[in-house]
Amino acid sequence: SKGISQLISTIVCISVFLLLIPFSTDRAASTLGLSVSGNKEVGSSFTITVGFTGDESSYAGYNGYFSYDSSLVRLDSITKGNYTSTNFVSATSAGSVEDHNTTIPNGSSLCVATFTCLVAGTVSIAADFTMATMSATDVAASASTSVAISAAVPKSSDATLKSLTISPGTLSPAFSSGTQNYTATVSTSKITVSAAANSSKAKVSLNGVQNSLVEGTNTVKITVKAEDGSTKVYVITVTRISGPTPTPTPTPIPLPLINY
């Protein structure tokens, strides 16, 4: 019995000793991160970038899928993240993505999913991924995020100009926002067209003819594109003549009546 007691005492001591030894074999938690960016209003698109962080220096591949309410958003595409690979495959209709036989550095973004907002509301988007380590051990990770979709703000349809001038030269008739056709006569091969849109959200573009005027008739077009995509085109018919630009004939002013 004395021998048995000594054996039990030895086992207890060894057990206590082992409990005091810090183990280094615990694996750090694997983390799947979702980063949202873009315009989150009805009719617009936003992206979700999926990133993965684990305790391996690199991974051999992955497969994953997205789940979401398809009545609120539409998945348009899934593209590869910021690592190098030739085996990336995605299926937008199924919301799935995978890669294999590659090297993905730890901390890389795996993929970028693009969604279009369909109706206002809050949608929860979840991602479930399984990473393959270099030792062929699978590591599972998941994450989810909520995206608040707002109603679309009405876009401006204003495609008018608030000012239009040329140099050298004078527009005829004088500029008016509602008038889209003008004429001018110059003797130079180039004129400067200054045009400002009435709406700060509209964009103005020229067709470039003003930079290379030929002798005779030239058509300079100024296109104004409103925020909602509608357009209006202002036209300046420029006549280039040889020699100096003629001075416009002044309009006679009637003399006032004088009573004697």
Side-chain angles (χ1 to χ4, degrees):
S1 61
K2 183 178 179 180
I4 294 175
S5 298
Q6 290 179 343
L7 178 60
I8 294 175
S9 177
T10 302
I11 293 174
V12 171
C13 290
I14 293 174
S15 298
V16 172
F17 177 74
L18 291 175
L19 289 174
L20 295 176
I21 298 176
F23 287 94
S24 60
T25 56
D26 291 337
R27 299 174 67 88
S30 299
T31 303
L32 197 69
L34 305 182
S35 175
V36 183
S37 63
N39 190 351
K40 296 172 280 294
E41 69 175 31
V42 175
S44 298
S45 298
F46 65 90
T47 61
I48 292 183
T49 301
V50 180
F52 180 80
T53 302
D55 60 358
E56 300 282 342
S57 61
S58 60
Y59 293 83
Y62 65 87
N63 63 74
Y65 65 92
F66 294 90
S67 55
Y68 53 92
D69 187 342
S70 60
S71 67
L72 296 176
V73 294
R74 181 184 69 240
L75 178 57
D76 294 325
S77 66
I78 308 174
T79 56
K80 184 178 67 66
N82 62 356
Y83 65 93
T84 302
S85 173
T86 57
N87 301 313
F88 178 85
V89 178
S90 65
T92 304
S93 58
S96 62
V97 60
E98 66 177 85
D99 204 342
H100 60 280
N101 295 334
T102 186
T103 300
I104 305 172
N106 186 33
S108 299
S109 64
L110 304 180
C111 62
V112 180
T114 301
F115 293 86
T116 293
C117 304
L118 302 179
V119 296
T122 300
V123 60
S124 177
I125 300 177
D128 293 274
F129 278 66
T130 299
M131 304 295 298
T133 66
M134 294 302 179
S135 59
T137 302
D138 290 341
V139 177
S142 61
S144 63
T145 185
S146 293
V147 178
I149 302 171
S150 60
V153 178
K155 295 183 178 181
S156 171
S157 60
D158 188 351
T160 60
L161 289 177
K162 68 177 179 181
S163 65
L164 177 63
T165 59
I166 62 172
S167 177
T170 304
L171 295 179
S172 179
F175 173 74
S176 173
S177 181
T179 302
Q180 293 177 243
N181 293 283
Y182 301 89
T183 60
T185 301
V186 300
S187 60
T188 59
S189 60
K190 178 180 179 179
I191 61 173
T192 299
V193 179
S194 300
N198 196 47
S199 170
S200 61
K201 296 182 179 180
K203 296 181 179 180
V204 179
S205 61
L206 284 79
N207 63 351
V209 173
Q210 75 280 0
N211 295 321
S212 55
L213 301 176
V214 298
E215 289 191 3
T217 302
N218 302 265
T219 303
V220 177
K221 294 183 179 181
I222 304 96
T223 301
V224 186
K225 186 175 182 179
E227 184 186 19
D228 68 352
S230 57
T231 60
K232 180 171 288 188
V233 179
Y234 290 78
V235 178
I236 305 174
T237 302
V238 181
T239 300
R240 178 189 170 188
I241 61 174
S242 59
T245 302
T247 302
T249 304
T251 302
I253 301 176
L255 296 175
L257 294 176
I258 300 177
N259 292 324
Y260 292 93

